[in-house]
Amino acid sequence: MKAKLGMRRVRPWKWMPFTNPARTDGAVLYHWRRVADEGKEYPFARFNKTVQLPTYSDVEYQQYLQVDGWTKDETDHLFNLCHRFDLRFYVVHDRWNRSIFSERSVEDIKERYYGISNILAKLKAPSGQEPKLRIYDAEHERRRKEQLCKLFDRTPEQIEEEQTLMNELRKIEMRKKEREKKTQDLQKLITAADSNTETRRQERKSTKKKVLPQKATKAETTSIEMTGIKFPDTRTSGVSLRSQRMKLPASVGQKKIKAIEQLLQELGIELVPIPTGEICAHFNELRSDMVLLYELKSALANCEFELQTFGHQVEALTGGVGGGGVGSQGKPSSIST
């Protein structure tokens, strides 16, 4: 493949001198440059950015900038180094003249510089304008570096111990969330049982007062919604079978369905009775009560198991002294079975 060379005339280049504005020693360097660019400023001079540092006079230093532990010569030396190395404080710390001045840490240098800068910014700020201050907490920075050093100096055994403690903390948090969830579920069951009992009491009172059947049906629907099963609303615009009202929703698990069927068989009730309006309402209410009873029994069994487990733990810790309310057979002594 042949290269496609242009037919235009080649632009001439020339070996010419140049000066860098970033240098103050007047050094003259040479490089190749296009003849058309001869006499123009060095193109990389625009990258010569310098930091604008605050300045102070002797009078300002005597009136506002004197602090204990810092002399004027030290402060002048600090600002000279900051100007020379563009506020690279670690370089300033490395170039600090320790033969003349006392040893200073990076935090001491930065604290002194930002303190003077903030004071000068307040003094030279225009009236009515809030000066822009830079907050530097040297003590916090020292503690942070100290903690980093401790973290870096850990032994493998300490790292392993910390990881073990973190894993144990996660397990404790998970168990705490599980207990809170169990407590909330148990409270919901107790509330549902109390609400169910209160509804039954109101129904008996309304029966004595001979309330209309329509109002009684509304109360029954409310009680069904407050207990374990929430049956879907089967009212549609078209024709539907009344038996659809007795269909269990998909949210009821297989275990609960089997428990309902077993209880119905023990009570001698048909699994699919004749779906009249009254039978549908009472049958759904009965199965809701069965689910609530099933959940209460499960919660009671879990509480008894946890109480028994805690009792064994107490016996293991105390050497069999003070069972903490657990009977000789490992069952809670305060709960009758």
Side-chain angles (χ1 to χ4, degrees), residues 86-153:
D86 291 334
L87 291 182
R88 295 179 178 90
F89 289 105
Y90 283 94
V91 182
V92 172
H93 176 261
D94 183 70
R95 296 295 189 271
W96 186 259
N97 193 345
R98 295 170 179 79
S99 61
I100 301 177
F101 306 110
S102 59
E103 177 68 27
R104 298 289 183 180
S105 64
V106 178
E107 291 76 24
D108 297 334
I109 292 173
K110 294 174 74 172
E111 184 179 24
R112 179 59 171 162
Y113 172 79
Y114 286 120
I116 292 177
S117 299
N118 292 335
I119 294 174
L120 294 175
K122 292 178 181 179
L123 293 175
K124 299 180 181 180
S127 59
Q129 184 178 354
E130 188 70 20
K132 185 178 180 181
L133 305 179
R134 290 180 172 85
I135 306 302
Y136 178 76
D137 191 350
E139 189 61 31
H140 173 75
E141 191 69 11
R142 293 188 186 97
R143 291 196 303 269
R144 184 184 68 84
K145 289 185 177 181
E146 182 181 357
Q147 292 297 328
L148 286 176
C149 290
K150 292 180 179 179
L151 185 66
F152 183 78
D153 294 337

Side-chain angles (χ1 to χ4, degrees), residues 217 220-221 224 229-236 238-249 271-285 287-288:
T217 304
E220 290 168 359
T221 306
I224 292 172
I229 302 177
K230 293 184 179 180
F231 290 92
D233 189 3
T234 57
R235 291 177 296 178
T236 58
V239 180
S240 63
L241 297 176
R242 191 183 289 119
S243 59
Q244 293 294 321
R245 301 181 186 177
M246 298 189 301
K247 185 177 180 181
L248 291 173
L271 299 180
V272 185
I274 300 174
T276 63
E278 186 176 359
I279 289 178
C280 287
H282 288 295
F283 190 63
N284 290 343
E285 181 180 348
R287 289 185 296 176
S288 274

Side-chain angles (χ1 to χ4, degrees), residues 4-136:
K4 296 180 181 180
L5 300 177
M7 300 302 293
R8 293 183 300 175
R9 188 176 180 180
V10 178
R11 292 174 293 182
W13 289 70
K14 183 180 178 181
W15 180 258
M16 59 182 67
F18 74 97
T19 58
N20 189 351
R23 302 185 60 151
T24 58
D25 55 358
V28 179
L29 306 174
Y30 290 84
H31 66 172
W32 288 99
R33 200 171 186 183
R34 294 171 184 169
V35 176
D37 296 336
E38 187 175 3
K40 293 183 179 179
E41 187 181 11
Y42 181 54
F44 293 98
R46 65 179 183 272
F47 297 111
N48 181 30
K49 303 297 182 182
T50 58
V51 181
Q52 300 297 326
L53 299 182
T55 58
Y56 54 88
S57 62
D58 294 339
V59 177
E60 289 175 339
Y61 184 88
Q62 294 295 332
Q63 292 181 355
Y64 307 106
L65 304 179
Q66 290 189 22
V67 293
D68 296 335
W70 281 85
T71 63
K72 187 176 184 304
D73 294 336
E74 268 187 310
T75 306
D76 294 341
H77 179 60
L78 168 62
F79 271 74
N80 289 334
L81 292 177
C82 290
H83 178 75
R84 179 181 173 187
F85 299 112
D86 291 334
L87 291 182
R88 295 179 178 90
F89 289 105
Y90 283 94
V91 182
V92 172
H93 176 261
D94 183 70
R95 296 295 189 271
W96 186 259
N97 193 345
R98 295 170 179 79
S99 61
I100 301 177
F101 306 110
S102 59
E103 177 68 27
R104 298 289 183 180
S105 64
V106 178
E107 291 76 24
D108 297 334
I109 292 173
K110 294 174 74 172
E111 184 179 24
R112 179 59 171 162
Y113 172 79
Y114 286 120
I116 292 177
S117 299
N118 292 335
I119 294 174
L120 294 175
K122 292 178 181 179
L123 293 175
K124 299 180 181 180
S127 59
Q129 184 178 354
E130 188 70 20
K132 185 178 180 181
L133 305 179
R134 290 180 172 85
I135 306 302
Y136 178 76

